Amino acid sequence: MKPMDNFSADRRKLIKSLSLLTVFSVSGLRLVACPAFAGGLPASADFHEFSAFVIGRPVDPVLSGRYFAALQAADGHFIGQLNQAMAASAPFRSHGIDAMLASLSHDSEIFNTLKKITSAWYLGIVGEGASATLIAFHDALMFQPTREYVFVPGYGGGPDSWVTRKHPDVLSEETSQEQQNG
């Protein structure tokens, strides 16, 4: 092997090593910075499993991670509420969510936490009003019962988008003029 060929091979190894080192170091920093890996917090896998219990059916792991992150971002107390709800669910795991709901007051913090999780999965939205975050429109669970019969559009205009727009009356003068000019 010529000295120049040896240099090229060594250089390629060095570049590959640096690339891998960069990827691993960035990934490592991201894992340390992620709130789910901090002490005492449930990991996304725990939220995924708990969501399946609350919803009463298997749930998508990717959406589970997205809902978990959005619920955390929307409510700074969500982790504590989630831990409390998960602990309270232990005696009901073999009986199902209905038994747990029957034992809760509808104004309790645990009931409200369960409502946040259920709402997120069924509506595909976390939060309310202007601070709402759309996570999944097409894959929201509210569309599942009719998915076989009704086309689910792959887009959404956002909350109340149909109300904020001015829609001309079908028989108005303005509409007739637009049709004649257009």
Side-chain angles (χ1 to χ4, degrees):
M1 196 183 271
K2 297 179 187 176
M4 200 58 148
D5 290 337
N6 192 18
F7 174 75
S8 294
D10 289 342
R11 183 175 172 200
R12 277 190 227 114
K13 285 180 188 177
L14 176 64
I15 291 172
K16 285 180 185 178
S17 299
L18 288 175
S19 298
L20 288 174
L21 181 62
T22 302
V23 168
F24 288 129
S25 67
V26 169
S27 300
L29 288 175
R30 185 168 171 81
L31 290 177
V32 170
C34 181
F37 290 92
L41 300 181
S44 188
D46 291 337
F47 177 77
H48 176 76
E49 185 267 331
F50 187 63
S51 287
F53 168 73
V54 171
I55 300 303
R57 65 187 299 166
V59 293
D60 183 281
V62 173
L63 287 177
S64 181
R66 291 178 184 165
Y67 286 126
F68 180 65
L71 286 163
Q72 280 181 284
D75 183 355
H77 302 290
F78 180 73
I79 293 295
Q81 296 164 354
L82 178 62
N83 282 328
Q84 190 178 26
M86 288 171 58
S89 73
F92 301 100
R93 290 301 178 110
S94 61
H95 303 292
I97 188 66
D98 292 333
M100 182 177 180
L101 291 172
S103 73
L104 294 172
S105 167
H106 291 287
D107 60 351
S108 70
E109 190 172 325
I110 293 172
F111 185 86
N112 288 330
T113 302
L114 297 175
K115 193 164 65 170
K116 283 180 193 177
I117 294 168
T118 304
S119 175
W121 279 101
Y122 273 88
L123 299 178
I125 298 170
V126 172
E128 296 177 2
S131 63
T133 304
L134 177 64
I135 304 297
F137 181 78
H138 189 266
D139 294 322
L141 293 180
M142 69 178 167
F143 295 122
Q144 296 308 312
T146 60
R147 183 177 288 295
E148 187 177 329
Y149 307 104
V150 178
F151 173 73
V152 178
Y155 59 88
D160 299 329
S161 63
W162 60 92
V163 176
T164 57
R165 295 185 189 142
K166 181 181 177 193
H167 298 284
D169 188 17
V170 175
L171 300 175
S172 72
E173 260 185 74
E174 186 178 300
T175 306
S176 298
Q177 289 175 354
E178 285 178 11
Q179 289 176 350
Q180 290 172 0
N181 295 335

